[in-house]
Amino acid sequence: MSNVTIVKGSLFDAPKGSIICHACNCQGVWGSGIAKQFAQRYPHAYKFYQRMCREGGDLLGLCLLLDTGNHIVGCLFTSANFGSKVDSVPEILDATADAIGDLIWQNTSNKPIHMCKINSGLFGVDWKLTQEVLESYPEQEFTVWEI
């Protein structure tokens, strides 16, 4: 049995207090896709993310958790770049494994983890490959939202 449960609906409807994750680049840009929705809903988190990208050094493979009051935004740094410079699929999957490990390590309160189908939008990674990464952490439950 999988530790990944897929539900229909908006990620932003996840229960209050849970972690809601999305895949991020390391350039400080949430300009399209679900990242743009995060920027619009959580502008203070977006500004902090941008500052971390400017000042934070090598973020690839890490997770940045930002408490917004309603949710904790989980920024999974799975690609150094975006657009035509997005990392290769193997690089994204390696960074995803590291970022998920970092997320689990930081989640000391065992808050529920919710996410969209990370990497499968603008980063162009087949969802099944990312799901395999999530399933490599069998001790952690993930709820994945799809519209």
mmCIF file of all heavy atoms in Angstrom, residues 74-108:
data_model
loop_
_atom_site.group_PDB
_atom_site.id
_atom_site.type_symbol
_atom_site.label_atom_id
_atom_site.label_comp_id
_atom_site.label_asym_id
_atom_site.label_seq_id
_atom_site.Cartn_x
_atom_site.Cartn_y
_atom_site.Cartn_z
ATOM 1 N N GLY A 74 5.702 24.875 2.384
ATOM 2 C CA GLY A 74 6.925 24.112 2.205
ATOM 3 C C GLY A 74 7.478 24.351 0.809
ATOM 4 O O GLY A 74 6.892 23.907 -0.179
ATOM 5 N N CYS A 75 8.576 25.078 0.755
ATOM 6 C CA CYS A 75 9.248 25.353 -0.523
ATOM 7 C C CYS A 75 10.295 24.265 -0.740
ATOM 8 O O CYS A 75 11.312 24.226 -0.043
ATOM 9 C CB CYS A 75 9.926 26.716 -0.485
ATOM 10 S SG CYS A 75 8.840 28.082 -0.061
ATOM 11 N N LEU A 76 10.034 23.383 -1.676
ATOM 12 C CA LEU A 76 10.949 22.293 -1.992
ATOM 13 C C LEU A 76 11.829 22.738 -3.157
ATOM 14 O O LEU A 76 11.341 22.873 -4.278
ATOM 15 C CB LEU A 76 10.169 21.031 -2.352
ATOM 16 C CG LEU A 76 9.207 20.509 -1.287
ATOM 17 C CD1 LEU A 76 8.311 19.418 -1.868
ATOM 18 C CD2 LEU A 76 9.962 20.018 -0.066
ATOM 19 N N PHE A 77 13.093 22.981 -2.897
ATOM 20 C CA PHE A 77 14.006 23.452 -3.937
ATOM 21 C C PHE A 77 14.456 22.263 -4.780
ATOM 22 O O PHE A 77 15.411 21.573 -4.442
ATOM 23 C CB PHE A 77 15.196 24.173 -3.301
ATOM 24 C CG PHE A 77 14.827 25.469 -2.642
ATOM 25 C CD1 PHE A 77 14.606 25.535 -1.281
ATOM 26 C CD2 PHE A 77 14.683 26.619 -3.400
ATOM 27 C CE1 PHE A 77 14.271 26.738 -0.669
ATOM 28 C CE2 PHE A 77 14.343 27.825 -2.805
ATOM 29 C CZ PHE A 77 14.133 27.885 -1.433
ATOM 30 N N THR A 78 13.712 22.034 -5.880
ATOM 31 C CA THR A 78 13.971 20.839 -6.695
ATOM 32 C C THR A 78 14.652 21.143 -8.029
ATOM 33 O O THR A 78 15.069 20.219 -8.715
ATOM 34 C CB THR A 78 12.666 20.058 -6.951
ATOM 35 O OG1 THR A 78 11.762 20.854 -7.695
ATOM 36 C CG2 THR A 78 12.024 19.632 -5.628
ATOM 37 N N SER A 79 14.763 22.416 -8.401
ATOM 38 C CA SER A 79 15.486 22.800 -9.618
ATOM 39 C C SER A 79 16.208 24.116 -9.350
ATOM 40 O O SER A 79 15.627 25.043 -8.781
ATOM 41 C CB SER A 79 14.532 22.972 -10.803
ATOM 42 O OG SER A 79 15.244 23.376 -11.968
ATOM 43 N N ALA A 80 17.447 24.197 -9.778
ATOM 44 C CA ALA A 80 18.200 25.437 -9.589
ATOM 45 C C ALA A 80 17.591 26.565 -10.422
ATOM 46 O O ALA A 80 17.552 27.709 -9.980
ATOM 47 C CB ALA A 80 19.671 25.235 -9.960
ATOM 48 N N ASN A 81 17.105 26.219 -11.603
ATOM 49 C CA ASN A 81 16.588 27.224 -12.525
ATOM 50 C C ASN A 81 15.159 26.904 -12.930
ATOM 51 O O ASN A 81 14.541 25.986 -12.407
ATOM 52 C CB ASN A 81 17.500 27.309 -13.759
ATOM 53 C CG ASN A 81 18.833 27.939 -13.430
ATOM 54 O OD1 ASN A 81 18.898 29.121 -13.107
ATOM 55 N ND2 ASN A 81 19.891 27.163 -13.484
ATOM 56 N N PHE A 82 14.653 27.671 -13.890
ATOM 57 C CA PHE A 82 13.285 27.499 -14.381
ATOM 58 C C PHE A 82 13.256 27.852 -15.858
ATOM 59 O O PHE A 82 14.260 28.281 -16.429
ATOM 60 C CB PHE A 82 12.308 28.373 -13.577
ATOM 61 C CG PHE A 82 12.547 29.851 -13.714
ATOM 62 C CD1 PHE A 82 11.815 30.607 -14.612
ATOM 63 C CD2 PHE A 82 13.515 30.486 -12.952
ATOM 64 C CE1 PHE A 82 12.043 31.971 -14.749
ATOM 65 C CE2 PHE A 82 13.748 31.855 -13.074
ATOM 66 C CZ PHE A 82 13.009 32.589 -13.971
ATOM 67 N N GLY A 83 12.084 27.660 -16.477
ATOM 68 C CA GLY A 83 11.926 27.990 -17.892
ATOM 69 C C GLY A 83 12.834 27.139 -18.760
ATOM 70 O O GLY A 83 12.984 25.932 -18.543
ATOM 71 N N SER A 84 13.489 27.767 -19.726
ATOM 72 C CA SER A 84 14.353 27.022 -20.647
ATOM 73 C C SER A 84 15.624 26.509 -19.972
ATOM 74 O O SER A 84 16.326 25.676 -20.535
ATOM 75 C CB SER A 84 14.727 27.908 -21.845
ATOM 76 O OG SER A 84 15.480 29.026 -21.407
ATOM 77 N N LYS A 85 15.912 26.980 -18.773
ATOM 78 C CA LYS A 85 17.114 26.553 -18.045
ATOM 79 C C LYS A 85 16.814 25.567 -16.912
ATOM 80 O O LYS A 85 17.668 25.312 -16.074
ATOM 81 C CB LYS A 85 17.833 27.774 -17.471
ATOM 82 C CG LYS A 85 18.372 28.701 -18.534
ATOM 83 C CD LYS A 85 19.091 29.872 -17.915
ATOM 84 C CE LYS A 85 19.614 30.798 -18.989
ATOM 85 N NZ LYS A 85 20.315 31.944 -18.426
ATOM 86 N N VAL A 86 15.570 25.036 -16.890
ATOM 87 C CA VAL A 86 15.201 24.095 -15.826
ATOM 88 C C VAL A 86 16.169 22.914 -15.825
ATOM 89 O O VAL A 86 16.687 22.512 -16.875
ATOM 90 C CB VAL A 86 13.727 23.635 -15.983
ATOM 91 C CG1 VAL A 86 13.543 22.737 -17.193
ATOM 92 C CG2 VAL A 86 13.232 22.966 -14.721
ATOM 93 N N ASP A 87 16.448 22.378 -14.645
ATOM 94 C CA ASP A 87 17.370 21.262 -14.521
ATOM 95 C C ASP A 87 16.828 20.027 -15.245
ATOM 96 O O ASP A 87 15.643 19.946 -15.571
ATOM 97 C CB ASP A 87 17.593 20.929 -13.043
ATOM 98 C CG ASP A 87 18.308 22.050 -12.282
ATOM 99 O OD1 ASP A 87 18.643 23.081 -12.890
ATOM 100 O OD2 ASP A 87 18.511 21.879 -11.074
ATOM 101 N N SER A 88 17.695 19.054 -15.471
ATOM 102 C CA SER A 88 17.283 17.811 -16.123
ATOM 103 C C SER A 88 16.397 17.003 -15.174
ATOM 104 O O SER A 88 16.426 17.187 -13.949
ATOM 105 C CB SER A 88 18.507 16.984 -16.519
ATOM 106 O OG SER A 88 19.132 16.454 -15.360
ATOM 107 N N VAL A 89 15.642 16.072 -15.733
ATOM 108 C CA VAL A 89 14.771 15.222 -14.918
ATOM 109 C C VAL A 89 15.566 14.475 -13.848
ATOM 110 O O VAL A 89 15.174 14.494 -12.671
ATOM 111 C CB VAL A 89 13.930 14.271 -15.800
ATOM 112 C CG1 VAL A 89 13.222 13.221 -14.967
ATOM 113 C CG2 VAL A 89 12.924 15.074 -16.623
ATOM 114 N N PRO A 90 16.683 13.822 -14.167
ATOM 115 C CA PRO A 90 17.431 13.142 -13.098
ATOM 116 C C PRO A 90 17.911 14.100 -12.001
ATOM 117 O O PRO A 90 17.880 13.748 -10.813
ATOM 118 C CB PRO A 90 18.614 12.498 -13.825
ATOM 119 C CG PRO A 90 18.150 12.339 -15.237
ATOM 120 C CD PRO A 90 17.264 13.524 -15.493
ATOM 121 N N GLU A 91 18.331 15.296 -12.386
ATOM 122 C CA GLU A 91 18.770 16.279 -11.385
ATOM 123 C C GLU A 91 17.603 16.696 -10.490
ATOM 124 O O GLU A 91 17.752 16.821 -9.265
ATOM 125 C CB GLU A 91 19.371 17.508 -12.060
ATOM 126 C CG GLU A 91 20.704 17.254 -12.724
ATOM 127 C CD GLU A 91 21.178 18.404 -13.597
ATOM 128 O OE1 GLU A 91 20.334 19.058 -14.255
ATOM 129 O OE2 GLU A 91 22.401 18.641 -13.615
ATOM 130 N N ILE A 92 16.433 16.914 -11.092
ATOM 131 C CA ILE A 92 15.256 17.307 -10.319
ATOM 132 C C ILE A 92 14.860 16.201 -9.355
ATOM 133 O O ILE A 92 14.541 16.455 -8.185
ATOM 134 C CB ILE A 92 14.092 17.693 -11.252
ATOM 135 C CG1 ILE A 92 14.406 19.021 -11.954
ATOM 136 C CG2 ILE A 92 12.775 17.793 -10.487
ATOM 137 C CD1 ILE A 92 13.436 19.396 -13.063
ATOM 138 N N LEU A 93 14.883 14.969 -9.821
ATOM 139 C CA LEU A 93 14.511 13.843 -8.947
ATOM 140 C C LEU A 93 15.496 13.677 -7.792
ATOM 141 O O LEU A 93 15.092 13.413 -6.654
ATOM 142 C CB LEU A 93 14.377 12.560 -9.754
ATOM 143 C CG LEU A 93 13.206 12.550 -10.745
ATOM 144 C CD1 LEU A 93 13.288 11.328 -11.649
ATOM 145 C CD2 LEU A 93 11.872 12.625 -10.026
ATOM 146 N N ASP A 94 16.788 13.860 -8.053
ATOM 147 C CA ASP A 94 17.782 13.790 -6.974
ATOM 148 C C ASP A 94 17.547 14.901 -5.954
ATOM 149 O O ASP A 94 17.575 14.664 -4.742
ATOM 150 C CB ASP A 94 19.207 13.900 -7.529
ATOM 151 C CG ASP A 94 19.688 12.629 -8.206
ATOM 152 O OD1 ASP A 94 19.057 11.564 -8.019
ATOM 153 O OD2 ASP A 94 20.707 12.708 -8.928
ATOM 154 N N ALA A 95 17.309 16.114 -6.442
ATOM 155 C CA ALA A 95 17.059 17.242 -5.539
ATOM 156 C C ALA A 95 15.755 17.048 -4.774
ATOM 157 O O ALA A 95 15.648 17.428 -3.603
ATOM 158 C CB ALA A 95 17.039 18.554 -6.324
ATOM 159 N N THR A 96 14.758 16.441 -5.424
ATOM 160 C CA THR A 96 13.487 16.169 -4.757
ATOM 161 C C THR A 96 13.684 15.201 -3.598
ATOM 162 O O THR A 96 13.150 15.415 -2.500
ATOM 163 C CB THR A 96 12.457 15.611 -5.759
ATOM 164 O OG1 THR A 96 12.257 16.584 -6.787
ATOM 165 C CG2 THR A 96 11.136 15.292 -5.086
ATOM 166 N N ALA A 97 14.444 14.145 -3.813
ATOM 167 C CA ALA A 97 14.713 13.180 -2.740
ATOM 168 C C ALA A 97 15.372 13.878 -1.554
ATOM 169 O O ALA A 97 14.991 13.651 -0.396
ATOM 170 C CB ALA A 97 15.584 12.039 -3.256
ATOM 171 N N ASP A 98 16.329 14.740 -1.835
ATOM 172 C CA ASP A 98 17.002 15.473 -0.757
ATOM 173 C C ASP A 98 16.050 16.450 -0.064
ATOM 174 O O ASP A 98 16.044 16.557 1.163
ATOM 175 C CB ASP A 98 18.214 16.225 -1.298
ATOM 176 C CG ASP A 98 19.338 15.301 -1.744
ATOM 177 O OD1 ASP A 98 19.358 14.117 -1.338
ATOM 178 O OD2 ASP A 98 20.212 15.773 -2.505
ATOM 179 N N ALA A 99 15.252 17.171 -0.846
ATOM 180 C CA ALA A 99 14.333 18.165 -0.275
ATOM 181 C C ALA A 99 13.256 17.496 0.579
ATOM 182 O O ALA A 99 12.885 18.018 1.639
ATOM 183 C CB ALA A 99 13.702 19.004 -1.387
ATOM 184 N N ILE A 100 12.754 16.347 0.140
ATOM 185 C CA ILE A 100 11.758 15.617 0.929
ATOM 186 C C ILE A 100 12.395 15.126 2.228
ATOM 187 O O ILE A 100 11.785 15.209 3.311
ATOM 188 C CB ILE A 100 11.145 14.454 0.123
ATOM 189 C CG1 ILE A 100 10.305 14.998 -1.047
ATOM 190 C CG2 ILE A 100 10.323 13.526 1.025
ATOM 191 C CD1 ILE A 100 9.073 15.793 -0.638
ATOM 192 N N GLY A 101 13.614 14.631 2.156
ATOM 193 C CA GLY A 101 14.320 14.224 3.367
ATOM 194 C C GLY A 101 14.488 15.390 4.328
ATOM 195 O O GLY A 101 14.293 15.240 5.550
ATOM 196 N N ASP A 102 14.824 16.562 3.807
ATOM 197 C CA ASP A 102 14.973 17.757 4.636
ATOM 198 C C ASP A 102 13.633 18.174 5.243
ATOM 199 O O ASP A 102 13.557 18.540 6.421
ATOM 200 C CB ASP A 102 15.577 18.894 3.802
ATOM 201 C CG ASP A 102 15.993 20.087 4.639
ATOM 202 O OD1 ASP A 102 16.507 19.895 5.765
ATOM 203 O OD2 ASP A 102 15.806 21.229 4.170
ATOM 204 N N LEU A 103 12.571 18.097 4.452
ATOM 205 C CA LEU A 103 11.228 18.407 4.951
ATOM 206 C C LEU A 103 10.873 17.502 6.128
ATOM 207 O O LEU A 103 10.422 17.972 7.182
ATOM 208 C CB LEU A 103 10.210 18.245 3.821
ATOM 209 C CG LEU A 103 8.730 18.195 4.208
ATOM 210 C CD1 LEU A 103 8.283 19.499 4.858
ATOM 211 C CD2 LEU A 103 7.880 17.885 2.977
ATOM 212 N N ILE A 104 11.065 16.209 5.966
ATOM 213 C CA ILE A 104 10.731 15.254 7.021
ATOM 214 C C ILE A 104 11.571 15.539 8.270
ATOM 215 O O ILE A 104 11.065 15.521 9.395
ATOM 216 C CB ILE A 104 10.912 13.809 6.517
ATOM 217 C CG1 ILE A 104 9.857 13.500 5.440
ATOM 218 C CG2 ILE A 104 10.842 12.806 7.661
ATOM 219 C CD1 ILE A 104 10.114 12.210 4.675
ATOM 220 N N TRP A 105 12.834 15.824 8.088
ATOM 221 C CA TRP A 105 13.736 16.110 9.205
ATOM 222 C C TRP A 105 13.286 17.356 9.971
ATOM 223 O O TRP A 105 13.326 17.382 11.207
ATOM 224 C CB TRP A 105 15.155 16.276 8.677
ATOM 225 C CG TRP A 105 16.154 16.565 9.748
ATOM 226 C CD1 TRP A 105 16.715 15.681 10.616
ATOM 227 C CD2 TRP A 105 16.702 17.845 10.062
ATOM 228 N NE1 TRP A 105 17.578 16.331 11.455
ATOM 229 C CE2 TRP A 105 17.592 17.663 11.142
ATOM 230 C CE3 TRP A 105 16.530 19.118 9.531
ATOM 231 C CZ2 TRP A 105 18.305 18.714 11.703
ATOM 232 C CZ3 TRP A 105 17.237 20.161 10.094
ATOM 233 C CH2 TRP A 105 18.113 19.960 11.162
ATOM 234 N N GLN A 106 12.831 18.377 9.240
ATOM 235 C CA GLN A 106 12.389 19.619 9.885
ATOM 236 C C GLN A 106 11.007 19.498 10.528
ATOM 237 O O GLN A 106 10.672 20.274 11.417
ATOM 238 C CB GLN A 106 12.331 20.756 8.862
ATOM 239 C CG GLN A 106 13.667 21.232 8.379
ATOM 240 C CD GLN A 106 13.505 22.433 7.479
ATOM 241 O OE1 GLN A 106 12.975 23.456 7.887
ATOM 242 N NE2 GLN A 106 13.945 22.302 6.233
ATOM 243 N N ASN A 107 10.207 18.553 10.084
ATOM 244 C CA ASN A 107 8.829 18.412 10.550
ATOM 245 C C ASN A 107 8.783 17.660 11.887
ATOM 246 O O ASN A 107 8.204 16.592 12.003
ATOM 247 C CB ASN A 107 7.991 17.704 9.483
ATOM 248 C CG ASN A 107 6.519 17.673 9.816
ATOM 249 O OD1 ASN A 107 6.039 18.397 10.693
ATOM 250 N ND2 ASN A 107 5.788 16.818 9.124
ATOM 251 N N THR A 108 9.364 18.275 12.904
ATOM 252 C CA THR A 108 9.484 17.625 14.209
ATOM 253 C C THR A 108 8.141 17.470 14.914
ATOM 254 O O THR A 108 8.013 16.633 15.807
ATOM 255 C CB THR A 108 10.453 18.412 15.111
ATOM 256 O OG1 THR A 108 9.987 19.754 15.228
ATOM 257 C CG2 THR A 108 11.858 18.392 14.540
#
